[in-house]
Amino acid sequence: MALAHLNLGNNSIGDEGASRLARVLGECKTLAHLDLSCNIIGSEGAGMLAGVLGACKALAHLDLSCNSIGDEGAGMLAGVLWGCKRLAYFDLSGNSIGAEGADGLAALLGACKALAHFD
């Protein structure tokens, strides 16, 4: 699939929608921009996305702000996003991430050399 830009922000897709998206996102090898902000995605949905986002090697912009990802979801995302070498913009603001989630994300900062914006 040649999809490069996907903006589904403000659609309330939740964990179920994130799970359904995850089924196809792994096939989007050219996906560079993904906006899933304000979608009520929790840790379960974040885990499903994390399972495929590592395969999106062209991913440069990821906006998951204003969801409900929490510590567990942040940890799952951090565990795979280090493989996205082009990731320059990553927004997780407004996700109730505490110290535990921040620990996992801190490791990501050192691994993503292209990361210029992290919120």
Side-chain angles (χ1 to χ4, degrees):
M1 198 179 310
L3 183 65
H5 187 109
L6 180 60
N7 184 344
L8 292 174
N10 296 297
N11 280 295
S12 303
I13 65 171
D15 287 335
E16 184 178 342
S19 177
R20 290 179 184 191
L21 272 175
R23 293 180 199 155
V24 296
L25 286 178
E27 302 299 318
C28 298
K29 305 297 183 200
T30 58
L31 185 64
H33 182 110
L34 179 60
D35 184 345
L36 295 176
S37 61
C38 304
N39 269 299
I40 317 170
I41 297 170
S43 61
E44 182 182 333
M48 296 301 292
L49 291 169
V52 298
L53 288 178
C56 299
K57 301 300 182 192
L59 191 63
H61 180 108
L62 179 59
D63 188 345
L64 292 170
S65 63
C66 301
N67 282 292
S68 300
I69 290 173
D71 286 337
E72 185 179 356
M76 289 185 275
L77 288 166
V80 298
L81 289 178
W82 59 267
C84 297
K85 302 296 183 196
R86 296 182 182 177
L87 189 63
Y89 181 99
F90 185 32
D91 192 343
L92 270 179
S93 62
N95 272 290
S96 300
I97 297 169
E100 185 180 327
D103 282 345
L105 293 169
L108 178 66
L109 291 174
C112 291
K113 304 297 183 200
L115 195 60
H117 178 99
F118 181 53
D119 202 355

